[in-house]
Amino acid sequence: MREEKAVVVFSGGQDSTTCLLWALEQFKEVATVTFDYGQRHHEEIECAREIAQELGVSFHVLDMKLINQLSANALTREDIEVKAGKDGELPSTFVPGRNHLFLSFAAVYAQAIGARHIITGVCETDFSGYPDCRDSFVKSLNVTLNLAMDAQFVIHTPLMWLNKEETWKLADELNALDFVREKTLTCYHGIRGNGCGECPACELRKQGLNAYLDKKEGGKAK
Ligand code: ZN
């Protein structure tokens, strides 16, 4: 385990919770930062707070509601329907530049608390067309942040090349499959655990979990 401090960009969802558990295995001291951007479901922030508390890590909420002054999207506006992007269109949940802004703010926070490592659950494999979730973007931002702040940040993306099935496998390897299944919130309708089972986020989560469990059970039978 490294004697260094790390900050996890944390939303209380499956991905960032798995990242938090990963970070707790890697780093001696772990802090979380959660962004309040006026999510439709404030439940998300409550969920993140409870998980952080249960895992005994510090929890810091940053007010990022100003992001809504810039553009409209389904995560923050009740009147916009949540739907997947078709024919190369971005999904209605897309907030342009969101990860870029969040990671940049996380870096400023990290420097303020003396942390060099930043962990984010972004993922290129299942990415829904969000350009600032791509590996090339994260690497580029890492260089930019180091130049901007004369720092030696290391941005870790443990999920970058994993699909949802492999993310469940990672949670299992961290001995936290049930923890992630029960405590996290991924559903666009604000329902914890298995969620509503129908929105695009639940659909992705369920498919991945079923694929992983099928393989695991199959493995046991052999
Ligand atoms: Zn759902």
Side-chain angles (χ1 to χ4, degrees):
M1 186 174 293
R2 299 191 221 190
E3 292 289 316
E4 290 176 285
K5 205 166 173 178
V7 169
V8 178
V9 177
F10 185 54
S11 71
Q14 179 197 350
D15 292 349
S16 65
T17 302
T18 305
C19 285
L20 174 55
L21 293 156
W22 177 89
L24 284 166
E25 296 257 301
Q26 307 278 324
F27 300 97
K28 200 169 170 218
E29 198 180 343
V30 177
T32 60
V33 61
T34 296
F35 298 103
D36 181 353
Y37 54 97
Q39 290 91 326
R40 268 193 189 190
H41 298 285
H42 213 256
E43 181 68 12
E44 211 179 293
I45 292 168
E46 257 333 287
C47 179
R49 187 193 308 277
E50 283 169 30
I51 293 172
Q53 202 166 31
E54 196 164 339
L55 295 174
V57 297
S58 77
F59 178 74
H60 189 76
V61 182
L62 273 182
D63 185 350
M64 293 291 288
K65 287 192 208 75
L66 62 90
I67 204 167
N68 301 311
Q69 294 170 20
L70 305 170
S71 67
N73 71 87
L75 287 185
T76 54
R77 286 260 303 266
E78 297 275 355
D79 56 325
I80 300 177
E81 195 193 336
V82 173
K83 54 177 193 217
K86 282 188 193 124
D87 304 326
E89 269 177 41
L90 288 164
S92 64
T93 49
F94 181 65
V95 183
R98 187 176 63 175
N99 277 314
H100 174 200
L101 293 172
F102 285 6
L103 272 176
S104 298
F105 278 83
V108 176
Y109 178 66
Q111 194 173 57
I113 62 165
R116 193 163 83 84
H117 298 270
I118 299 163
I119 293 102
T120 169
V122 297
C123 165
E124 187 159 316
T125 318
D126 279 329
F127 97 119
S128 325
Y130 296 30
D132 54 359
C133 287
R134 286 186 281 210
D135 191 53
S136 56
F137 165 73
V138 175
K139 288 195 163 74
S140 155
L141 182 67
N142 200 152
V143 173
T144 299
L145 289 170
N146 289 354
L147 289 170
M149 294 166 66
D150 197 16
Q152 298 288 322
F153 292 117
V154 184
I155 303 181
H156 301 264
T157 54
L159 312 184
M160 183 57 78
W161 306 107
L162 306 186
N163 59 29
K164 275 279 178 271
E165 177 186 336
E166 291 162 332
T167 302
W168 283 112
K169 182 166 182 268
L170 177 59
D172 203 9
E173 285 163 3
L174 293 163
N175 295 314
L177 185 67
D178 289 338
F179 184 89
V180 176
R181 275 181 83 169
E182 289 159 20
K183 310 268 177 182
T184 63
L185 193 161
T186 309
C187 177
Y188 286 143
H189 297 110
I191 305 163
R192 292 189 204 195
N194 289 335
C196 74
E198 283 166 6
C199 72
C202 281
E203 206 43 59
L204 204 61
R205 175 176 167 131
K206 186 168 63 185
Q207 279 170 10
L209 180 60
N210 289 343
Y212 176 60
L213 292 177
D214 281 353
K215 232 172 240 179
K216 193 182 171 183
E217 302 300 312
K220 261 187 203 157
K222 273 173 210 160

